[in-house]
Amino acid sequence: MQREIGFDQLNRADLVIDCVYKGGVKGNVGDDPLNKVLRCGNQGGFRYTGSYDQFSYPYIVLYSSFDDFDWPDNIDFQSGIFTYYGDNKKPGHEILDTPKNGNRILIKSFNDLHVRNYQFIKPFFVFGKGFSGRDVIFRGLAVPGGLGLTSFDDLQAIWKFNNNQRFQNYKALFTILNVPVIKREWIDDLNENRIITPNTPKEFTKFYERGIYTPLISQRSAPIRRKQDQLPTTTEEKNMLAFIFNYFDGRAHDFELFAADIAKMLLHDVMEIDVTRPWRDGGRDAIGKMRVGTRDSFILIDFALEAKCYNTNNSVGVRAVSRLISRIKSREFGILVTTSYIDQQAYKEVTDDKHPILFVCGKDIIDILKENGLNNINILRPWMDKLFEQKDNYLIRS
């Protein structure tokens, strides 16, 4: 059972990974637990105490519901990377013109990272929405950037549009450090503007002094995803997947073109996918090549792609998966893209026998589209219509 900290105990509680911090029950903003756990505001995604103008706040609290369809904050538990979107989320404002100055905090923090002024970077405490009321869950201690990320990757200004108006916001990548518990004593130190003390977690000290990342990495306990893990959960995501299925229902070859573009979005170094000819051996709707290496020194790895446009009530079974496996040649891998989910037996056979098959199911399709700015039907429909204007001579090349 998940540990919970009562509302009356918050002001002296430690911060424990995935612990629930209970909100109040009076029905007003005073029920917010973050203001009691940490001396910060009780509203918004960016919260801090102190003076923004002098950057004298002791720490920043990042709060996310993790269910905003347009701004998909997320934590990759297998890499420890936390993706967080800034606070310019509506048209009519410049990217730095936000009430909480959240985007200014981001650019200041990442600028300090890029010039190696690590000692000027304050700790980021990450919280997510709880299961009921105003409850929150502590998700970890974060710092800007991550292993293998460059200044081109870790903070990006992205364009969005809403009501036919364009605007920019930041997409920021953080690392959740391997700190399972943050003691109240360090929080007290921080509130007295003392960052490095005997109470400071050693993983944060390594970053503060030398920019060394020690990410919190978690392995998936069950490598075989259940049906509910392969399909969308929110109403918006379900409606979007239903739209995709209905758009392609009875148009198998058109869905192959769509699946090829999904593969290209997922694997950014795909050099070519050919979906223009019918493959006589079956089990392959397309073949492609992915580049591994640099622009001047690389190898190309072949892969086969199969696309299944199924209703979410129908799974992709053993027969279809086995057919793809049998068609994969030596040193190739396979990609199976479906609007539905993979049957448990088929999933288990691939996992147990370690076949090089990548499953891209309904939830994955929606996540990939959202990450590429195609986050609602009004945007997705014209993109797909444009895609199929050229379908008679379709060969994806980079």
Side-chain angles (χ1 to χ4, degrees):
M1 184 176 177
Q2 202 158 6
R3 181 181 174 186
E4 296 182 348
I5 304 295
F7 187 70
D8 59 346
Q9 301 173 310
L10 298 180
N11 61 347
R12 295 309 304 165
D14 298 333
L15 300 182
V16 181
I17 289 286
D18 290 344
C19 180
V20 177
Y21 294 81
K22 301 292 291 182
V25 294
K26 293 184 178 179
N28 55 46
V29 294
D31 292 339
D32 185 86
L34 286 176
N35 183 256
K36 295 187 178 298
V37 176
L38 300 162
R39 299 175 186 174
C40 65
N42 53 23
Q43 290 182 316
F46 286 86
R47 308 188 191 189
Y48 51 88
T49 186
S51 170
Y52 161 76
D53 294 332
Q54 302 298 321
F55 291 100
S56 63
Y57 40 80
Y59 44 77
I60 301 98
V61 175
L62 297 180
Y63 172 80
S64 175
S65 64
F66 290 102
D67 62 4
D68 189 323
F69 190 76
D70 293 323
W71 304 99
D73 301 333
N74 70 85
I75 300 175
D76 184 341
F77 295 110
Q78 296 186 68
S79 68
I81 295 296
F82 167 49
T83 302
Y84 191 77
Y85 290 86
D87 57 352
N88 190 38
K89 297 184 176 181
K90 295 182 179 180
H93 301 276
E94 296 183 5
I95 191 169
L96 299 179
D97 179 22
T98 61
K100 296 287 187 178
N101 292 303
N103 280 351
R104 293 184 182 273
I105 291 173
L106 288 180
I107 198 168
K108 167 71 166 58
S109 301
F110 280 86
N111 282 345
D112 286 334
L113 171 70
H114 298 155
V115 298
R116 301 185 180 183
N117 286 336
Y118 309 121
Q119 68 275 17
F120 294 145
I121 299 174
K122 303 300 174 68
F124 287 81
F125 297 131
V126 179
F127 286 83
K129 183 179 179 180
F131 304 112
S132 63
R134 290 183 175 266
D135 297 356
V136 298
I137 301 173
F138 179 58
R139 293 304 190 184
L141 168 62
V143 292
L147 293 169
L149 297 177
T150 71
S151 58
F152 294 99
D153 306 317
D154 53 24
L155 184 67
Q156 300 177 8
I158 60 173
W159 284 97
K160 290 266 190 171
F161 78 88
N162 189 14
N163 295 326
N164 294 318
Q165 292 181 290
R166 292 173 295 175
F167 62 103
Q168 281 186 303
N169 196 15
Y170 280 125
K171 176 183 178 181
L173 302 183
F174 292 82
T175 294
I176 303 288
L177 296 179
N178 187 12
V179 181
V181 179
I182 294 175
K183 292 295 185 181
R184 173 56 55 173
E185 289 78 7
W186 189 46
I187 298 173
D188 293 340
D189 293 337
L190 291 172
N191 284 320
E192 296 175 1
N193 293 313
R194 295 184 294 125
I195 294 181
I196 302 300
T197 74
N199 300 312
T200 306
K202 62 181 181 180
E203 291 78 8
F204 184 83
T205 301
K206 290 178 182 178
F207 175 81
Y208 182 89
E209 294 178 347
R210 293 175 288 167
I212 294 176
Y213 294 99
T214 312
L216 176 60
I217 298 174
S218 305
Q219 298 298 323
R220 182 186 291 273
S221 59
I224 303 171
R225 292 190 291 173
R226 301 168 299 175
K227 175 182 177 181
Q228 57 265 42
D229 298 324
Q230 300 179 54
L231 295 174
T233 55
T234 69
T235 300
E236 295 90 343
E237 292 173 339
K238 290 178 180 179
N239 290 341
M240 194 168 168
L241 186 61
F243 166 75
I244 294 170
F245 169 75
N246 291 327
Y247 188 98
F248 293 110
D249 191 21
R251 300 162 56 193
H253 183 62
D254 286 353
F255 182 70
E256 294 166 11
L257 305 182
F258 174 81
D261 257 41
I262 291 293
K264 188 74 167 61
M265 293 179 190
L266 176 63
L267 305 173
H268 300 294
D269 281 324
V270 168
M271 295 292 99
E272 180 179 304
I273 305 179
D274 188 352
V275 290
T276 58
R277 62 181 108 162
W279 301 99
R280 294 180 180 177
D281 58 359
R284 300 191 301 181
D285 293 327
I287 60 171
K289 297 180 183 295
M290 187 179 78
R291 181 178 67 186
V292 178
T294 68
R295 183 181 62 182
D296 298 318
S297 177
F298 61 86
I299 60 173
L300 293 175
I301 299 177
D302 293 330
F303 65 87
L305 180 144
E306 184 165 2
K308 298 293 182 185
C309 185
Y310 286 0
N311 186 287
T312 54
N313 293 324
N314 299 322
S315 65
V316 177
V318 172
R319 182 178 178 183
V321 173
S322 297
R323 186 168 60 248
L324 177 59
I325 292 170
S326 68
R327 297 301 188 265
I328 296 174
K329 300 176 182 178
S330 176
R331 299 185 180 90
E332 291 185 353
F333 68 96
I335 305 173
L336 196 154
V337 180
T338 178
T339 49
S340 185
Y341 65 100
I342 308 299
D343 174 80
Q344 289 289 285
Q345 183 181 347
Y347 214 129
K348 186 175 187 302
E349 288 183 8
V350 168
T351 302
D352 290 349
D353 295 336
K354 295 182 172 57
H355 293 297
I357 301 293
L358 176 62
F359 292 134
V360 181
C361 304
K363 182 181 187 302
D364 306 317
I365 290 174
I366 300 303
D367 289 344
I368 291 167
L369 291 172
K370 288 165 60 178
E371 289 172 5
N372 285 273
L374 301 167
N375 60 342
N376 65 62
I377 294 173
N378 292 332
I379 299 173
L380 183 60
R381 185 194 302 272
W383 176 80
M384 293 199 302
D385 290 342
K386 183 69 174 178
L387 177 68
F388 299 115
E389 288 179 7
Q390 307 175 54
K391 70 178 182 178
D392 292 333
N393 189 24
Y394 198 81
L395 176 64
I396 299 180
R397 285 196 177 102
S398 294

